Structure formats: structure tokens, C-alpha cells
């Protein structure tokens, strides 16, 4: 058995029943634009294969960690990734809508790959309440507070500028 492969020999011989599987292995190429699973990061896989009339029904749980760059402050971000699924594998080649298998071996690598890719964060955050960078001066608001006007007050900022141009006293807030 290679990584991500499960023997279904007994299941096929009996035609009924279920087989549990549990392993951890690494997989390369798990990345979307903004986040990824490191090539050496273990991917923990647990589940059950059941002999179903039309094929093999796989109930699977996949757990690992993702790494990326926070979209608000650009610092490194990471977090847990956990996904569960139920998928019917049919004997024969893998097609656009069905995972296939040949003989007595069920290869879960494509399913694991697809599940992880779909679950990777598209907009990763270093923490849920990340305060991000100041759009004016670039200061990291998680670390320091700058003196730029808050973004929500930009309308007032425009008024302030107009008033000071006219020589009035700046608006006091
Ligand atoms: Zn952040
Ligand atoms: Zn600023």
C-alpha cells in the first residue's frame, strides 16, 4: 500500500461490510493563491469504506494545518483545517463526477487533495479580529496606532480639508 491507499480486498471478497482506515501522510501541491498546506505537514486521515451496491462508499475525515499570509496585515497566518465528506467510489476510471478504483486498492489521494483544496482559506486572517494595516501610512494596527484619521471618518476628513483651505477652524470631533 502506498500513502493514501486502502485495501478493499476483504470487502470485495465478502461483498458487504465495512473497513476502517486511519493514517497520516504528507502530500505536495496543496495550495491556492492565498494559503497552502506545507509539503511536509502531516495530513491525518480517518474513515470507513463500506461495500455499497454500486461501488465503495467512503466516509472520511481529513485534518491538517494551513499556512498563508493574512489579507489584512500581510503577516504570516496559520490555522487548523478539518473537513469531512462521504463519497461513492465506482469501479473504473475517475471521471469528472465520480472517483474510480481498480482491483483491490482504493486510492484516496485525489479525494483528499480535492477536499483540502476546497477547504483552504481564500481570505486567510492571522486572527479573526486582525486590525490590519492603515490604508494611509501602512502602520500595522495590531502593533501600533497611527495618527491618521480612521477610514470611517474619511468624509469628515474631506470636510476638515475644505474648511482649513477656507481658513476656518478645523472641525472638532
Ligand atoms: Zn492580520
Ligand atoms: Zn496611518
Amino acid at each position: 500500500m502506498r500513502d493514501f491507499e486502502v485495501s478493499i480486498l476483504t470487502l470485495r471478497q465478502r461483498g458487504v461490510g465495512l473497513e476502517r482506515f486511519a493514517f497520516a501522510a504528507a502530500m505536495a501541491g496543496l495550495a491556492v493563491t492565498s494559503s497552502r498546506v506545507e509539503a511536509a505537514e502531516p495530513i491525518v486521515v480517518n474513515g470507513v469504506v463500506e461495500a455499497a451496491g454500486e461501488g465503495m462508499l467512503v466516509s472520511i475525515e481529513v485534518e491538517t494545518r494551513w499556512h498563508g499570509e493574512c489579507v489584512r496585515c500581510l503577516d504570516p497566518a496559520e490555522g487548523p483545517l478539518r473537513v469531512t465528506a462521504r463519497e461513492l467510489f465506482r469501479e473504473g476510471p475517475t471521471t469528472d463526477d465520480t472517483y474510480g478504483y481498480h482491483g483491490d486498492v482504493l486510492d484516496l489521494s485525489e479525494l483528499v487533495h480535492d477536499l483540502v483544496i476546497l477547504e483552504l482559506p481564500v481570505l486567510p486572517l492571522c486572527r479573526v479580529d486582525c486590525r490590519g494595516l492603515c490604508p494611509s501610512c501602512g502602520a500595522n494596527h495590531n502593533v501600533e496606532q497611527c495618527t491618521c484619521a480612521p477610514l470611517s471618518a474619511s468624509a469628515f476628513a474631506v470636510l476638515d480639508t475644505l474648511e482649513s483651505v477656507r481658513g476656518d477652524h478645523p472641525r472638532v470631533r
Side-chain angles (χ1 to χ4, degrees), residues 47-66:
V48 173
V49 195
E50 290 170 70
E54 328 89 285
M56 295 288 160
L57 184 61
V58 174
S59 305
I60 191 171
E61 180 188 73
V62 178
E63 283 179 284
T64 185
R65 284 191 81 72
W66 60 266

Side-chain angles (χ1 to χ4, degrees), residues 68-77 124-126 130 132-133 138 140 142:
E69 188 179 70
C70 176
V71 288
R72 290 190 198 151
C73 73
L74 310 181
D75 272 356
L125 292 174
C126 62
C130 171
L133 302 179
N140 186 338
N142 298 314

Side-chain angles (χ1 to χ4, degrees), residues 101-118:
Y101 65 92
H102 293 283
D104 298 327
V105 173
L106 202 63
D107 184 358
L108 297 174
S109 58
E110 258 186 290
L111 174 61
V112 170
H113 173 272
D114 295 349
L115 291 174
V116 171
I117 291 285
L118 283 175

Side-chain angles (χ1 to χ4, degrees), residues 134-139 141 146-149:
C134 170
S136 307
C137 73
H141 284 171
C146 57
T147 52
C148 306

Side-chain angles (χ1 to χ4, degrees), residues 149-159:
L151 196 57
S152 56
S154 55
F156 293 114
V158 171
L159 285 176

